[in-house]
Structures are given as structure tokens and as C-alpha cells.
């Protein structure tokens, strides 16, 4: 509706931040449905590990871009 393009590359990911709360709530509701064979704690640990990995990858990209700008 707004015409803002959502991209998942480092410098262009700022519009995607506004969707993080809604996606986190959706993931929290989907854990019992999707991971019904795994215990809840293991499912949550898996999602936390994936989030940590994504955050670390973003941090490395930011660091590299910062070095390039200097």
C-alpha cells in the first residue's frame, strides 16, 4: 500500500524493522503448531539460535561496510 520495498540486504533493510514485532508474534503462535513433535523448549531454542545467527551475520556485514566507508 505504501510502496516501500522490503529488501533483506544490509543497507536497505530498515523498512523491514517495522515488521519484526508482528513476525515475532506470529512465530510465537506458530511454535506449537509447526514444532508439535519437538518439546516447546527445544523449538524455542532452535528459533533463538537462528535469530542469533542472523543477528551475527548482520553484525559482520555492518562491520565490513563500516570498514569500507573509513
Amino acid at each position: 500500500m505504501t510502496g516501500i520495498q522490503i529488501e533483506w540486504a544490509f543497507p536497505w533493510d530498515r523498512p523491514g524493522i517495522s515488521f519484526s514485532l508482528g513476525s515475532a508474534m506470529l512465530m510465537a503462535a506458530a511454535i506449537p503448531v509447526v514444532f508439535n513433535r519437538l518439546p516447546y523448549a527445544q523449538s524455542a531454542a532452535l528459533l533463538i539460535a537462528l535469530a542469533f545467527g542472523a543477528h551475527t551475520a548482520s553484525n559482520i556485514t555492518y562491520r565490513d561496510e563500516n570498514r569500507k566507508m573509513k
Side-chain angles (χ1 to χ4, degrees), residues 1 7-9 12 14 26 33 41 55 59 62 68 70:
M1 289 174 57
E7 298 181 20
W8 299 112
W12 303 277
R14 294 221 22 132
L26 181 66
V33 175
H55 180 70
N59 186 22
Y62 177 79
K68 288 177 188 177
K70 287 183 179 181

Side-chain angles (χ1 to χ4, degrees), residues 4-41:
I4 298 173
Q5 292 185 358
I6 304 298
E7 298 181 20
W8 299 112
F10 166 67
W12 303 277
D13 65 348
R14 294 221 22 132
I17 293 173
S18 62
F19 296 111
S20 62
L21 178 62
S23 62
M25 290 170 40
L26 181 66
M27 291 290 283
I31 286 175
V33 175
V34 175
F35 297 106
N36 59 358
R37 294 183 190 152
L38 292 175
Y40 184 77

Side-chain angles (χ1 to χ4, degrees), residues 27-65:
M27 291 290 283
I31 286 175
V33 175
V34 175
F35 297 106
N36 59 358
R37 294 183 190 152
L38 292 175
Y40 184 77
Q42 288 177 343
S43 307
L46 176 66
L47 291 174
I48 290 169
L50 290 173
F52 181 75
H55 180 70
T56 302
S58 177
N59 186 22
I60 291 169
T61 304
Y62 177 79
R63 184 189 63 204
D64 293 342
E65 292 292 325

